[in-house]
Amino acid sequence: MSDARQPAPAPAPGPGPGPGPGSGSGSAERFDVVVVGAGFAGLYMLHRLRGLGMTVRVIERADDVGGTWYWNRYPGARCDIESIDYCYSFDDALLHEWRWSERYAAQPEILRYLEHVADRFDLRRDIAFGTSVLGAEWDEAGHVWRLRCDDGEIVTATYCVMATGCLSTVKTPDFPGLGSFQGRWFHTGQWPHEPVDFTGGKVAVIGTGSSGIQAIPLIARHAERLYVLQRTPNYSMPAHNRPLTEAELHDALRDHAERRRRCRESESGIPLPPPTDATLDVTPEQRRARYEEGWRRGGISALSAAFTDFFTDEKANRLAQDFARAKIREIVRDPEVAELLCPTHHIGTKRTCTDTGYFETYNRDGVELVDVRSDPIEEITPTGVRTRDRHIDVDVIVFAIGFDAITGALTEIDIRGTGGRALTDTWAHGPRTLLGLQTAGFPNLFMVTGPGSPSVLSNMVVSIEQHVDWIADCLAHLRERGVDRIEATPAAQERWMAHVADLAAHTLYPKANSWYVGVNIPGKPRTFMPYVAGCGQYRRECDEIVAAGYAGFTLGQDANTRQDRDTQQEGART
Ligand code: FAD
Ligand code: N01
């Protein structure tokens, strides 16, 4: 079933008199809603809000739409959720007019898709591009969010939606000596728009997460010499990427409504049937056959979809790890290199990568794996990278070192809620939210795919559509009730966070040193941030809260009234 949320038949009211988006006038215009970010989330949010007849301003740092797919233009960048599922479902006509060319679309095609969406729904006219939001302050007396932009403009709105992305704030390379480097260097998450030519060059790639694993095989084809500086190896499943056939596209369109329903109700937002057997309930031969079948199918869930206890049982997980390591040893000819490439963490607890010829790349002449765990990087010099034991001469360095994930884009904005309290203080020991949608003390502020929601553990477009719909429906509900304020209560938020932590504690996820827990960023508090029980279960929990009259949220009251009621409710419970 496709959500029949069509655009408003006539253009919705624009922002009213005053300068257009991004004029940098320093004036204070007031909108119903200000949205930060114009990726998958911000674009759909704008479309939904226009459909409600609301005035909206979107503010976007980039010069155009696309978010992730605007910024990550490195060679090999592509999705790891099948294209036919990694796209919007809210509009049937859009669905029918777009044809994905490959099983996993590459970055340029996904960007073209989002540009097409922006054109089709005439979204750009309400987006201020090339503008960063530096601060966002709740003005209690004026009952508005006041956003301060880097061009001096102040944007005010009754509601603020942070569609700022979970993987949009890059981890900045802070290697000593980088400023002295005389070659060229790039971060995968801020790749230039013009192609980078590696032909005949000596290149170092630092980082072997999903970005590095996608880029390395392609860089290796052109560079004269490629050094992969690996600190921690990762599991990677073959993508088996290929063109989509006419028949597949036809079937996907015909079955789309049912396929999307399965995505929404599934654990990770993809339409695979849930596993039914535990790993040790089958014979070793059956188990191996199941893993092999997954490996042949390929993709991120190649092994994780085989058995029920993949993420929860040490022994089960170890058997899947053994299988993945055996595959690496089969592919990589040099046994020492193969051993270095074998990960040891619980499989799946760091984002599993998907690749096209990654492990095979180490069989090429001119490719060298450098273990910077045992021989750490000490500095960048004018001519290359110095590790403790050697100097590596290079012309180009590619930093594939990742992101300040999930919270980074929120905490880098100076967000201040009731009483001027900073979000960074409220989240000093880790993020606190209700449903990953709101945080107490920050009325009328919403996050799309915030911490405490399935977000990065799911097909994010499925999760984004759900959050955007939830927020839009919520604002429509507030308007129907004649109120214009909503805020998570501290008590409900604490219950939600305890629930999220409790769910995670039953899995192996929190054990890994992953960006899911924030350890890749020095000083970031270690907290497992996503909701692990899956998209379907999460959606049901959200729907129950709405059905109970937005239980856990205070609607249409000011802070003092809310606190009184909260205290009374807590008193009644104890
Ligand atoms: P984004 O696309 O990150 O957009 C957020 C936007 O907000 C950005 O354009 C940013 O410039 C803007 N912004 C942030 N802060 C500010 C500010 N202060 N002021 C102004 N603008 C601001 N997910 C999947 O489910 N499947 C995949 O296959 C997949 N592949 C990925 C591949 C890569 C290389 C990366 C990095 C991520 C991938 N993801 C994938 C996750 C991906 O981020 C999401 O799928 C999705 O694109 C997020 O959309 P979004 O709109 O929430 O955020
Ligand atoms: O980042 P990462 P990413 N010295 O954090 C290493 C999505 N995505 O950009 O593990 C040396 O995963 C670090 O080593 P270690 C997807 O959700 C999807 O690759 O900290 N090395 C690690 O190897 C993904 O998970 C796709 O020891 C340093 C690497 O850099 C997320 O984005 C493609 C270092 C960082 O890996 C992030 O992926 C791309 C240092 N100082 C991204 N600092 C798809 O395929 C960091 N590292 C869909």
Side-chain angles (χ1 to χ4, degrees):
M1 176 200 70
S2 173
D3 234 345
R5 293 196 165 95
Q6 301 293 330
S23 63
S25 65
S27 63
E29 302 171 61
R30 182 165 180 157
F31 297 87
D32 291 326
V33 189
V34 58
V35 177
V36 187
F40 268 105
L43 292 178
Y44 182 40
M45 193 76 247
L46 170 59
H47 175 67
R48 280 296 324 266
L49 293 169
R50 270 194 193 162
L52 295 174
M54 292 188 163
T55 59
V56 189
R57 165 68 59 86
V58 179
I59 304 172
E60 168 56 60
R61 176 176 295 145
D63 289 332
D64 205 345
V65 299
T68 288
W69 305 102
Y70 173 94
W71 295 106
N72 291 264
R73 297 170 188 240
Y74 60 85
R78 61 177 71 247
C79 54
D80 63 1
I81 301 287
E82 297 199 25
S83 315
I84 52 179
D85 300 314
Y86 187 69
C87 55
Y88 293 121
S89 70
F90 66 85
D91 187 273
D92 275 342
L94 170 65
L95 203 67
H96 281 85
E97 73 202 10
W98 189 264
R99 302 172 74 73
W100 292 107
S101 68
E102 292 181 280
R103 185 180 181 198
Y104 298 105
Q107 172 272 332
E109 188 172 6
I110 305 174
L111 183 58
R112 275 201 306 280
Y113 170 75
L114 289 168
E115 288 168 349
H116 169 73
V117 170
D119 290 339
R120 189 182 200 293
F121 298 106
D122 187 19
L123 298 177
R124 286 189 181 84
R125 68 184 156 88
D126 286 328
I127 307 177
F129 290 109
T131 309
S132 288
V133 173
L134 304 178
E137 191 182 0
W138 173 246
D139 173 349
E140 188 74 52
H143 198 82
V144 285
W145 277 98
R146 184 165 285 118
L147 271 66
R148 183 166 45 85
C149 303
D150 62 350
D151 62 358
E153 193 178 7
I154 304 286
V155 180
T156 58
T158 307
Y159 302 100
C160 174
V161 178
M162 292 294 178
T164 44
C166 290
L167 294 158
S168 55
T169 297
V170 298
K171 177 175 167 175
T172 311
D174 58 355
F175 296 89
L178 180 57
S180 73
F181 184 57
Q182 286 167 2
R184 295 172 298 155
W185 67 264
F186 306 95
H187 192 299
T188 49
Q190 289 178 333
W191 201 261
H193 288 203
E194 57 288 351
V196 175
D197 186 8
F198 295 101
T199 312
K202 291 198 284 292
V203 183
V205 175
I206 301 180
T208 50
S210 299
S211 302
I213 281 177
Q214 285 188 328
I216 285 163
L218 288 172
I219 297 175
R221 279 193 210 162
H222 300 283
E224 180 198 307
R225 190 134 189 94
L226 172 63
Y227 302 90
V228 177
L229 277 57
Q230 172 190 271
R231 191 163 64 184
T232 313
N234 263 309
Y235 298 100
S236 185
M237 307 292 115
H240 299 316
N241 188 36
R242 55 176 171 71
L244 287 169
T245 64
E246 280 303 314
E248 281 172 317
L249 284 166
H250 178 265
D251 289 353
L253 275 180
R254 193 198 52 214
D255 301 337
H256 186 266
E258 171 57 16
R259 191 175 169 105
R260 197 59 168 217
R261 187 195 61 73
R262 293 212 313 272
C263 290
R264 290 184 185 130
E265 289 177 10
S266 70
E267 200 165 303
S268 45
I270 54 178
L272 282 178
T276 48
D277 299 318
T279 308
L280 291 161
D281 285 353
V282 298
T283 65
E285 293 70 32
Q286 288 169 326
R287 192 158 52 238
R288 172 145 194 111
R290 201 78 65 84
Y291 289 148
E292 288 288 0
E293 184 193 320
W295 194 265
R296 271 195 306 277
R297 188 183 67 245
I300 188 164
S301 56
L303 301 184
S304 60
F307 295 105
T308 52
D309 46 3
F310 177 91
F311 289 107
T312 51
D313 184 87
E314 289 269 355
K315 218 166 165 188
N317 190 277
R318 199 168 301 281
L319 289 164
Q321 291 172 40
D322 289 344
F323 178 86
R325 284 189 287 261
K327 286 290 179 193
I328 297 171
R329 293 182 186 116
E330 254 174 48
I331 299 169
V332 179
R333 284 200 288 268
D334 181 326
E336 279 180 32
V337 176
E339 273 332 288
L340 271 181
L341 287 166
C342 281
T344 53
H345 58 272
H346 294 112
I347 186 167
T349 57
K350 295 173 96 170
R351 172 93 176 187
T352 300
C353 307
T354 55
D355 71 276
T356 301
Y358 173 65
F359 295 114
E360 290 82 349
T361 299
Y362 295 95
N363 295 333
R364 289 180 81 106
D365 290 338
V367 176
E368 184 182 340
L369 182 66
V370 181
D371 176 16
V372 297
R373 170 76 61 195
S374 65
D375 179 17
I377 300 170
E378 293 203 327
E379 60 169 346
I380 310 291
T381 69
T383 54
V385 183
R386 187 184 306 287
T387 64
R388 191 192 54 209
D389 298 341
R390 67 189 277 203
H391 187 272
I392 303 168
D393 280 342
V394 289
D395 317 302
V396 184
I397 304 174
V398 173
F399 294 103
I401 57 174
F403 300 86
D404 182 351
I406 308 179
T407 53
L410 297 164
T411 54
E412 76 177 5
I413 302 174
D414 183 13
I415 302 178
R416 300 204 170 243
T418 324
R421 189 161 163 79
L423 185 73
T424 46
D425 290 339
T426 311
W427 286 6
H429 303 293
R432 319 293 299 164
T433 73
L434 177 53
L435 298 178
L437 277 161
Q438 275 215 314
T439 192
F442 297 80
N444 290 6
L445 179 80
F446 296 92
M447 294 160 277
V448 182
T449 62
S453 72
S455 67
V456 293
L457 297 186
S458 65
N459 170 354
M460 289 203 69
V461 184
V462 168
S463 291
I464 284 168
E465 284 196 329
Q466 187 230 344
H467 264 189
V468 167
D469 286 338
W470 195 97
I471 295 166
D473 293 348
C474 171
L475 297 190
H477 174 79
L478 294 178
R479 189 170 60 184
E480 274 161 30
R481 280 192 45 176
V483 297
D484 60 359
R485 182 185 174 107
I486 178 164
E487 183 179 354
T489 72
Q493 174 170 288
E494 288 321 299
R495 281 195 295 279
W496 182 254
M497 293 318 294
H499 177 51
V500 168
D502 186 46
L503 291 170
H506 287 91
T507 72
L508 301 166
Y509 276 115
K511 294 179 192 276
N513 287 325
S514 65
W515 57 257
Y516 296 148
V517 297
V519 291
N520 63 325
I521 302 297
K524 193 164 170 172
R526 184 183 181 116
T527 329
F528 184 78
M529 294 180 272
Y531 168 99
V532 296
C535 294
Q537 178 58 23
Y538 173 78
R539 183 179 292 265
R540 283 189 285 281
E541 298 207 44
C542 288
D543 291 348
E544 278 165 21
I545 282 175
V546 172
Y550 289 87
F553 293 90
T554 303
L555 274 52
Q557 288 168 333
D558 68 18
N560 293 334
T561 320
R562 188 207 71 222
Q563 269 158 15
D564 290 350
R565 205 181 73 165
D566 237 26
T567 316
Q568 281 164 17
Q569 283 175 344
E570 283 303 290
R573 237 175 258 121
T574 49

